[in-house]
Amino acid sequence: MELVKITDKLLDDVVLIENESFKAPFKKENFEYELKENPFSKFYGVTEDNKLVGYIIFWITFNTSTLCKIAVQQSKRNRGFAGFLMKNMEKMLLENEVESMTLEVRKSNENAINLYKKFGFKEITIKPKYYDDGEDAIYMGKLYL
Ligand SMILES: CC(C)(COP(=O)(O)OP(=O)(O)OC[C@H]1O[C@@H](n2cnc3c(N)ncnc32)[C@H](O)[C@@H]1OP(=O)(O)O)[C@@H](O)C(=O)NCCC(=O)NCCS
């Protein structure tokens, strides 16, 4: 397992994983925005045998942060890739003296909720009908102080 910085040439692989992972996937342009224009965005991937199998996007805005996205190729799930991405992200949060992270997750997304709980995130509140299809989000957070 190796951590890599996402670059232009990895974006097509990102989009393939994205499309099999989300009901309302980001388009390539959305990823290009995160890569080139959003000054707060950090975008990393995990590879196995030099092939991209997952990625994470998070935003550091001074002392706070937001987890934007994490996804792992369907056939590679349950093998620790997301945990590896989360661990590396948290290392960067500490290096940047970030004090907190928040995220939204679909109420039905048990795998992701378990992942976040494993990393110490706690439910803050429910955001009713947060998603376009009407599903509620669980708003979760973690303090690094
Ligand atoms: C959520 C997701 C990123 C997890 O990736 P993964 O590489 O399979 O996760 P890991 O193997 O690193 O597992 C880490 C932890 O996540 C939780 N988890 C992951 N898959 C799970 C499953 N099928 N059932 C229960 N818990 C699960 C567990 O807590 C697990 O820890 P454990 O192995 O000690 O029990 C992956 O399922 C995915 O890409 N889903 C689609 C995209 C998505 O929903 N992203 C999150 C919303 S932004």
Side-chain angles (χ1 to χ4, degrees):
M1 257 179 233
E2 199 185 329
L3 187 77
V4 294
K5 245 188 158 152
I6 296 294
T7 55
D8 252 345
K9 67 178 173 38
L10 286 171
L11 281 190
D12 288 333
D13 292 338
V14 167
V15 169
L16 285 177
I17 299 171
E18 175 78 5
N19 286 337
E20 62 174 30
S21 298
F22 292 101
K23 275 189 196 160
F26 264 25
K27 296 198 173 76
K28 195 171 178 184
E29 304 90 83
N30 303 119
F31 289 113
E32 280 169 343
Y33 173 78
E34 295 302 328
L35 198 58
K36 295 172 196 164
E37 291 182 50
N38 183 350
F40 301 109
S41 194
K42 312 275 174 205
F43 194 173
Y44 289 88
V46 56
T47 59
E48 185 183 57
D49 302 327
N50 292 316
K51 181 105 190 54
L52 190 78
V53 295
Y55 54 88
I56 190 164
I57 300 177
F58 56 103
W59 302 317
I60 296 183
T61 35
F62 309 104
N63 59 345
T64 64
S65 62
T66 309
L67 180 57
C68 168
K69 228 174 226 302
I70 182 168
V72 170
Q73 187 186 318
Q74 223 157 43
S75 60
K76 302 283 183 180
R77 290 185 189 160
N78 281 308
R79 290 173 42 194
F81 287 107
F84 177 81
L85 287 168
M86 293 285 293
K87 216 179 286 169
N88 280 284
M89 173 189 74
E90 291 202 321
K91 220 169 101 187
M92 292 180 239
L93 298 182
L94 292 175
E95 284 164 6
N96 283 279
E97 297 178 356
V98 169
E99 294 173 2
S100 65
M101 174 169 262
T102 56
L103 62 88
E104 282 94 10
V105 58
R106 282 180 184 267
K107 214 173 160 181
S108 63
N109 194 347
E110 278 180 43
N111 299 350
I113 294 166
N114 283 336
L115 170 71
Y116 303 141
K117 282 187 176 160
K118 184 178 166 182
F119 277 83
F121 283 79
K122 301 267 190 282
E123 182 176 325
I124 300 170
T125 190
I126 300 283
K127 294 189 178 183
K129 300 192 168 71
Y130 179 80
Y131 296 99
D132 285 346
D133 62 1
E135 185 169 354
D136 296 348
I138 304 180
Y139 184 54
M140 300 181 87
K142 178 172 173 181
L143 290 176
Y144 293 96
L145 288 169

